[in-house]
Amino acid sequence: MEYKENALHYEDYCRLRESVEWLLFSKEQTQKALDNSLYTIIAVDDNQTVGMGRLIGDGMYYMIADIVVQPNYQRQGIGNKIVSMIIEYVDKTTPVGGRSTIQLIAEKGKETFYEKMGFKIIPHEFCGSGMRKVIRK
């Protein structure tokens, strides 16, 4: 398995989302999101992208998005490696004396995967509920 930084392309992004039955966004939105990502990771096996992860943020607050591993490659440590590389990226870019927060929205039933990597379920002692609003047109 090979891992590549900042090499996520539109076609692979869509194919991986479809492989786990996630809805697609418009092509324009998707390409803009990929162009504006701070950091992306792909997992490549036999010249095929089989996993991906994306990081967005502003240097203090970050959000992990689109952690996807093709179903026939799941449970092989690929998702763990992708998330670990994203965490390492944030750690390296956080200055001495600084602080960064990494947030995400886990797929239902995948919370323990992230807990094992140090994420805490919200709400907890410092934070209230995570929330979201979807706008459809």
Side-chain angles (χ1 to χ4, degrees):
M1 191 67 54
E2 182 182 3
Y3 295 88
K4 296 181 181 181
E5 299 174 312
N6 301 317
L8 179 57
H9 299 289
Y10 172 80
E11 294 78 12
D12 290 329
Y13 176 86
C14 292
R15 187 180 49 72
L16 286 169
R17 284 186 66 95
E18 287 176 324
S19 78
V20 293
E21 300 179 358
W22 286 3
L23 297 175
L24 298 179
F25 294 90
S26 74
K27 184 172 185 174
E28 179 184 359
Q29 277 184 297
T30 301
Q31 191 58 62
K32 184 176 182 180
L34 294 174
D35 292 344
N36 290 324
S37 297
L38 290 176
Y39 183 68
T40 63
I41 294 290
I42 59 171
V44 180
D45 184 44
D46 197 26
N47 292 319
Q48 181 182 347
T49 301
V50 298
M52 69 176 175
R54 213 164 55 86
L55 181 71
I56 57 180
D58 63 9
M60 291 188 299
Y61 295 97
Y62 297 90
M63 182 165 182
I64 293 177
D66 302 318
I67 301 296
V68 177
V69 175
Q70 201 171 290
N72 56 324
Y73 282 86
Q74 292 178 4
R75 303 198 183 282
Q76 297 179 30
I78 297 167
N80 190 293
K81 176 70 173 175
I82 290 170
V83 173
S84 292
M85 290 178 75
I86 290 171
I87 293 169
E88 287 173 27
Y89 172 87
V90 173
D91 182 59
K92 287 178 188 173
T93 60
T94 301
V96 173
R99 178 179 73 125
S100 296
T101 300
I102 305 172
Q103 302 170 13
L104 59 85
I105 298 173
E107 281 291 301
K108 196 143 183 86
K110 302 290 185 182
E111 296 87 353
T112 55
F113 169 81
Y114 294 103
E115 284 180 301
K116 290 176 185 175
M117 302 189 79
F119 289 88
K120 292 184 177 185
I121 290 181
I122 298 173
H124 59 72
E125 65 272 17
F126 300 112
C127 296
S129 299
M131 302 175 80
R132 76 177 200 163
K133 179 176 179 69
V134 176
I135 297 172
R136 296 186 192 276
K137 288 190 175 185

